[in-house]
Amino acid sequence: MGTAKLLDSQWRSSYVTQRLKAFAQRCRERGMSVTPQRLGVIKALLTCENHPSAEEVFVRVRRHQKHISLATVHRILEQFCRVGEARKVTPLHDTARYDGHVEPHHHVVCVGCRCVRDVEIPEADRLLKSIPNLGEFAVLGGSLEVYALCAKCRSKSQKTSNRRNSRPKTKSEAACLSVQAT
Amino acid sequence: MGTAKLLDSQWRSSYVTQRLKAFAQRCRERGMSVTPQRLGVIKALLTCENHPSAEEVFVRVRRHQKHISLATVHRILEQFCRVGEARKVTPLHDTARYDGHVEPHHHVVCVGCRCVRDVEIPEADRLLKSIPNLGEFAVLGGSLEVYALCAKCRSKSQKTSNRRNSRPKTKSEAACLSVQAT
DNA sequence: AAATCAAGTAGTAATTATTATCATGTAGTT
DNA sequence: AACTACATGATAATAATTACTACTTGATTT
Ligand SMILES: [Mn+2]
Ligand SMILES: [Mn+2]
Ligand SMILES: [Zn+2]
Ligand SMILES: [Zn+2]
């Protein structure tokens, strides 16, 4: 038996206060101004236990800021992801991907072009089998998503390594980069 | 060093022929009629190495079936997922979720209501650290997505266990089931 | 202090992915 | 060949996200 366990809300709340305390500080270091909207979003995001959607964050912030715009929440959340203040639970796809290969297996995803490849990782399978439950959750299976850079994107990012963020920000941009299929 | 490795296209092509051979058979067993559209979609899906999107499948099928509709492709792909003929690479979210917790960690996702919880799995972290690369991919990190059933959904699915598929099929349906946040 | 400037936002339009609707077509059966 | 339940095409509707634009505000310069 392993040491896997749920992170409890006690842990979470101490993490939250720690993160919240220095938020304004970190903003200034990054040259971002500290606005009520940004404070509202980071607070809602950290406070909410639920991996909330943009919409959910919006609703929460609006409790205290009647006039905040949903578009602003989207913008701020994406910005937070760029600067490392938040992350998407699934940065993998903007749109669903399908796989004809239905036996259990894992994936590598290139964070540059978002191409996906199948991977076999027996250790991960063994690991998953060794976890029958996580707190109240009855484990059914799982999938290891490995984030990586493919060869093309590695060479590409060397040339542009001094640019700002190499991750494509818009769908159209991502589409331009994406590798052509057969 | 472990035994993790990419599944090569040689493996894939034998898998494809094997799957394709009995496809019509399996359809009939499930009471699904075998249409040119479904044949086109399964073939495109299996042939294409790329974990294609619905749009990409659509483009491929259209090469041979000029008049096929994108809506049909969506419909068929979702159906394939329901009957086990395909799977979403990320069945997790219909819409992006955000997390204020940026340190590396893993997630459990309830396949019923799609609620998400943080998990700590040191073995998975060790495992990931032990894989510096996968073929041409330079590994950066990764995340284990554990699929599970939460307590609520377990009791719910007992009552409705003889229904068809317990997974919510539409967003509105999922919304109805989803657990209320604080 | 007035003018200038830049960053950020609200409100809204546009875009994109997905699902619903419904009239028509067809695969599987008799 | 005829029948019928299921499938499809065409299109509308919905939902998530992003783009656009005018406006606000606070800082900087004159
Ligand atoms: Mn796959
Ligand atoms: Mn998390
Ligand atoms: Zn790449
Ligand atoms: Zn659940």
Side-chain angles (χ1 to χ4, degrees):
Chain A
M1 73 181 53
T3 54
K5 69 166 207 283
L6 291 173
L7 299 180
D8 55 26
S9 19
Q10 191 177 347
W11 178 91
R12 177 103 189 180
S13 68
S14 80
Y15 176 76
V16 168
T17 46
Q18 172 230 313
R19 281 285 308 280
L20 230 36
K21 191 163 48 182
F23 172 75
Q25 176 62 41
R26 287 194 304 278
C27 281
R28 282 184 223 104
E29 284 169 3
R30 295 185 191 108
M32 297 164 46
S33 51
V34 181
T35 65
Q37 289 85 349
R38 283 177 187 160
L39 284 167
V41 169
I42 192 68
K43 195 172 164 195
L45 190 56
L46 286 167
T47 299
C48 175
E49 300 266 334
N50 249 14
H51 298 78
S53 66
E55 178 74 28
E56 286 166 339
V57 171
F58 172 60
V59 169
R60 283 176 173 247
V61 176
R62 200 173 37 177
R63 288 182 195 158
H64 307 97
Q65 303 178 223
K66 279 210 320 289
H67 48 291
I68 194 172
S69 160
L70 175 57
T72 298
V73 173
H74 275 289
R75 226 180 0 224
I76 291 176
L77 285 171
E78 285 301 322
Q79 182 188 42
F80 281 1
C81 290
R82 283 197 303 275
V83 303
E85 204 65 42
R87 69 169 194 181
K88 283 195 183 179
V89 170
T90 305
L92 296 174
H93 310 114
D94 302 314
T95 158
R97 300 292 200 87
Y98 298 89
D99 190 354
H101 177 190
V102 293
E103 276 70 38
H105 65 282
H106 309 277
H107 295 102
V108 222
V109 186
C110 173
V111 300
C113 63
R114 307 210 177 164
C115 63
V116 183
R117 291 287 303 275
D118 290 342
V119 192
E120 209 176 70
I121 309 179
E123 302 97 299
D125 300 328
R126 279 198 292 278
L127 171 54
L128 279 164
K129 282 202 202 89
S130 75
I131 309 175
N133 57 63
L134 285 165
E136 60 157 316
F137 288 82
V139 173
L140 302 173
S143 170
L144 185 57
E145 301 190 337
V146 180
Y147 310 142
L149 268 180
C150 73
K152 283 185 191 171
C153 287
R154 269 207 313 287
S155 59
K156 206 173 296 179
S157 65
Q158 282 183 324
K159 294 172 201 159
T160 37
S161 60
N162 50 347
R163 301 277 168 131
R164 28 183 56 228
N165 198 320
S166 64
R167 239 165 301 187
K169 280 157 284 298
T170 65
K171 290 181 191 178
S172 43
E173 211 179 319
C176 289
L177 288 175
S178 84
V179 191
Q180 222 69 353
T182 319
Chain B
M1 71 181 54
T3 55
K5 70 166 207 284
L6 290 174
L7 299 180
D8 55 26
S9 17
Q10 190 178 348
W11 178 91
R12 178 102 189 183
S13 68
S14 81
Y15 176 76
V16 168
T17 46
Q18 173 230 313
R19 282 285 308 282
L20 229 37
K21 191 164 47 183
F23 172 74
Q25 176 63 41
R26 289 193 303 279
C27 281
R28 285 186 219 103
E29 285 170 1
R30 295 184 191 110
M32 297 164 48
S33 52
V34 181
T35 67
Q37 290 85 349
R38 283 178 187 157
L39 284 168
V41 169
I42 192 68
K43 194 173 164 194
L45 191 55
L46 286 167
T47 299
C48 174
E49 300 264 333
N50 249 14
H51 298 78
S53 66
E55 178 73 27
E56 285 165 341
V57 171
F58 172 60
V59 169
R60 285 179 170 244
V61 177
R62 201 172 37 176
R63 288 182 195 157
H64 307 99
Q65 302 179 225
K66 278 211 322 288
H67 47 292
I68 194 171
S69 159
L70 175 56
T72 299
V73 173
H74 275 289
R75 238 181 347 228
I76 291 176
L77 286 171
E78 285 301 322
Q79 181 188 42
F80 281 0
C81 290
R82 285 196 302 275
V83 302
E85 204 65 42
R87 70 170 195 179
K88 284 195 183 179
V89 169
T90 304
L92 297 174
H93 310 116
D94 302 313
T95 157
R97 301 292 201 87
Y98 297 91
D99 190 353
H101 177 190
V102 292
E103 276 70 38
H105 64 282
H106 308 278
H107 296 102
V108 222
V109 186
C110 172
V111 299
C113 63
R114 308 213 176 163
C115 62
V116 182
R117 291 287 304 276
D118 290 343
V119 192
E120 209 176 72
I121 310 180
E123 302 96 299
D125 300 329
R126 278 197 293 278
L127 171 54
L128 278 163
K129 281 201 201 90
S130 76
I131 308 174
N133 58 62
L134 286 164
E136 59 157 317
F137 289 84
V139 173
L140 302 173
S143 170
L144 185 57
E145 302 190 337
V146 180
Y147 310 143
L149 268 179
C150 73
K152 284 186 191 169
C153 287
R154 270 209 310 287
S155 59
K156 206 173 297 179
S157 65
Q158 284 184 321
K159 294 171 200 161
T160 37
S161 60
N162 50 348
R163 301 280 168 129
R164 28 183 56 227
N165 197 321
S166 64
R167 239 165 300 186
K169 280 156 285 296
T170 65
K171 289 183 190 177
S172 44
E173 212 178 319
C176 289
L177 287 175
S178 84
V179 191
Q180 222 67 354
T182 319

